[in-house]
Amino acid sequence: MKLLTIIGARPQFIKAAAVSRTFSNIKSINEIIVHTGQHFDKNMSEIFFTEMDIPKPSYNLNINSLNHGSMTGRMLEGIEEIVLKEKADMLMVYGDTNSTIAGALAAKKLHVPVAHVEAGLRSFNMRMPEEVNRILTDRISDLLFCPTDKAIENLTKEGFNTFPSKIVKSGDVMQDAALYYSQKSEKHSNIIATHALSNFILCTIHRAENTDDISRLAEIINAINEIEKSIEVVIPLHPRTKKIIADNRLMLNAKIIEPVGYFDMIELLKNCSLVITDSGGLQKEAYFFSKHSVTLRDETEWVELTEGGFNQLAGANSRVIVQSVNKMLKSTSDFSVNLYGGGKASEIIAEEIANYKAD
Ligand code: UD1
Ligand code: UDP
């Protein structure tokens, strides 16, 4: 099985770290990694490959910093060439980024089976580029690896059980990564000591719906400035958000640091009092490390977290964000419930791929 794996954005490196490590133990799978180049700063890309022992990509297309159409189009062209050259038996994509849809589309048009890790997630907000990417990717995938029961339910409602694709409940590969690297992070990260952190909230902001709408971003910043008066807020700031804040001369009073590697992120998660985020991945990681979270969005794909009281949606309204933070800082929950498969997702995915037979 010659498997082409397409990755390009930060969360995909973390997911691939777990899955590619499992593939490397299976002789029948020959994985070739293609980096689209979507994320390219050292601390948005290279650091993850080094820290997490991700196999070096055989190709890097260096395609980034473009509008959706040009980015996806150029990736499609570059990936198609590689699929043809490598005569791949299957192509695997993760999540919902432009790299994901470009990879899936390139392979499908060449009749190469597509495997989608993190299939079936829906926000039901078609204004999100991620929602468009994930719906289209699911529809042309042959193997759909679902992280949750809800994801399977979403696909079933859309009629996927009548399509010629296979739905597999794998659990969430991010939990595999969190469990595996949690032991290593303690040894390798000094972030808590370096910044003399004690009682703090961890926050990330990068989602287009928040950064590209200045009124939403201003509301979020107002809330953080208010929260920072009583508890320190640590923000490893995504380059997208950094640029927009600077361009609009917004005043964000918090401990702003550069994006961090995964080991530092785990230590920040383990030691924080609460997570405030608009990230998909971080909502779950908060839960993996027994922390409550407040999500700066109007909806979430990870509904089991909101339903279970682990996460609260606060949208982008200053007052609601501050109230939600105050409420969640006082919350108690039983984090031992198994919502994401307990760290076996990569094994399930690897086994399915190794045994895959096209019809
Ligand atoms: C992308 C994904 C989003 C995912 C996020 C993870 C799409 C449509 N969006 O959003 O789903 O949640 O990655 O972080 O695929 N930039 C840098 N350095 C970098 C990376 C990005 O400066 O290393 C800048 C780019 O030049 C660009 C901006 O950040 O101007 C946005 O990057 P882009 O990859 O388009 O989208 P993200 O917001 O990162
Ligand atoms: N992350 C990281 N360093 C950071 C910010 C995030 O390692 O400075 C990790 C985070 O722990 C999670 C992943 O990046 O594993 C989430 O990526 P991001 O929030 O960029 O994207 P999303 O999950 O929203 O698609």
Side-chain angles (χ1 to χ4, degrees), residues 94-133:
Y94 293 93
D96 51 24
T97 70
N98 290 343
S99 301
T100 312
I101 181 63
L105 195 51
K108 195 64 183 175
K109 289 283 184 86
L110 294 169
H111 306 148
V112 172
V114 178
H116 184 203
V117 176
E118 234 179 49
L121 296 176
R122 297 290 182 266
S123 66
F124 303 101
N125 175 358
M126 286 299 280
R127 289 182 59 82
M128 282 179 78
E130 292 85 358
E131 183 76 352
V132 177
N133 290 340

Side-chain angles (χ1 to χ4, degrees), residues 8-12 37-45 63-68 71-72 75 96-100 128-130 133-134 206-208 211 238-241 243 278-281:
R10 175 168 64 187
Q12 293 164 339
Q38 182 170 349
H39 286 178
F40 51 94
D41 288 343
K42 214 171 168 188
N43 56 4
M44 293 290 287
S45 174
I63 299 167
N64 52 62
S65 312
L66 297 164
N67 288 335
H68 288 277
M71 192 194 289
T72 312
M75 286 175 184
D96 51 24
T97 70
N98 290 343
S99 301
T100 312
M128 282 179 78
E130 292 85 358
N133 290 340
R134 58 170 87 100
H206 78 276
R207 193 136 317 261
T211 57
H238 191 291
R240 171 188 203 117
T241 321
K243 183 170 185 311
D278 59 8
S279 157

Side-chain angles (χ1 to χ4, degrees), residues 30-281:
N30 170 19
E31 187 187 30
I32 296 170
I33 298 183
V34 179
H35 189 327
T36 60
Q38 182 170 349
H39 286 178
F40 51 94
D41 288 343
K42 214 171 168 188
N43 56 4
M44 293 290 287
S45 174
E46 192 188 313
I47 190 169
F48 299 99
F49 288 84
T50 319
E51 274 189 350
M52 302 174 86
D53 289 327
I54 307 169
K56 195 174 155 38
S58 305
Y59 300 86
N60 189 324
L61 298 172
N62 285 315
I63 299 167
N64 52 62
S65 312
L66 297 164
N67 288 335
H68 288 277
S70 0
M71 192 194 289
T72 312
R74 288 188 52 197
M75 286 175 184
L76 180 61
E77 198 175 350
I79 295 167
E80 180 179 63
E81 260 178 47
I82 300 170
V83 177
L84 286 169
K85 182 174 159 224
E86 293 287 350
K87 299 190 173 44
D89 298 307
M90 181 179 270
L91 180 142
M92 191 169 79
V93 290
Y94 293 93
D96 51 24
T97 70
N98 290 343
S99 301
T100 312
I101 181 63
L105 195 51
K108 195 64 183 175
K109 289 283 184 86
L110 294 169
H111 306 148
V112 172
V114 178
H116 184 203
V117 176
E118 234 179 49
L121 296 176
R122 297 290 182 266
S123 66
F124 303 101
N125 175 358
M126 286 299 280
R127 289 182 59 82
M128 282 179 78
E130 292 85 358
E131 183 76 352
V132 177
N133 290 340
R134 58 170 87 100
I135 289 175
L136 298 179
T137 300
D138 280 344
R139 188 61 187 84
I140 57 174
S141 290
D142 298 271
L143 273 176
L144 295 148
F145 292 112
C146 295
T148 58
D149 290 330
K150 186 70 188 177
I152 294 184
E153 191 188 312
N154 290 337
L155 291 180
T156 310
K157 277 189 187 152
E158 289 173 25
F160 275 72
N161 46 340
T162 64
F163 300 162
S165 47
K166 183 170 181 189
I167 299 174
V168 179
K169 185 175 173 195
S170 56
D172 185 16
V173 295
M174 290 197 96
Q175 184 162 34
D176 301 17
L179 288 169
Y180 182 78
Y181 293 98
S182 169
Q183 293 155 6
K184 296 185 177 241
S185 67
E186 231 162 273
K187 244 193 273 164
H188 296 287
S189 165
N190 291 320
I191 190 136
I192 303 298
T194 306
H195 293 286
L197 301 174
S198 56
N199 184 23
F200 70 96
I201 290 176
L202 173 63
C203 173
T204 74
I205 313 159
H206 78 276
R207 193 136 317 261
E209 72 208 50
N210 287 331
T211 57
D212 294 6
D213 179 338
I214 294 305
S215 65
R216 278 183 79 95
L217 188 59
E219 283 278 327
I220 290 170
I221 288 178
N222 273 344
I224 290 168
N225 291 348
E226 187 57 35
I227 295 159
E228 170 78 16
K229 289 178 189 162
S230 48
I231 175 166
E232 186 168 37
V233 182
V234 177
I235 314 183
L237 200 58
H238 191 291
R240 171 188 203 117
T241 321
K242 185 179 180 180
K243 183 170 185 311
I244 292 171
I245 287 177
D247 289 353
N248 291 280
R249 298 166 190 261
L250 299 170
M251 280 300 297
L252 174 56
N253 298 320
K255 189 168 189 70
I256 310 293
I257 58 176
E258 288 298 313
V260 295
Y262 193 57
F263 293 153
D264 283 345
M265 201 57 187
I266 291 182
E267 288 307 300
L268 289 169
L269 280 159
K270 282 181 185 166
N271 288 283
C272 70
S273 305
L274 182 80
V275 172
I276 306 177
T277 192
D278 59 8
S279 157

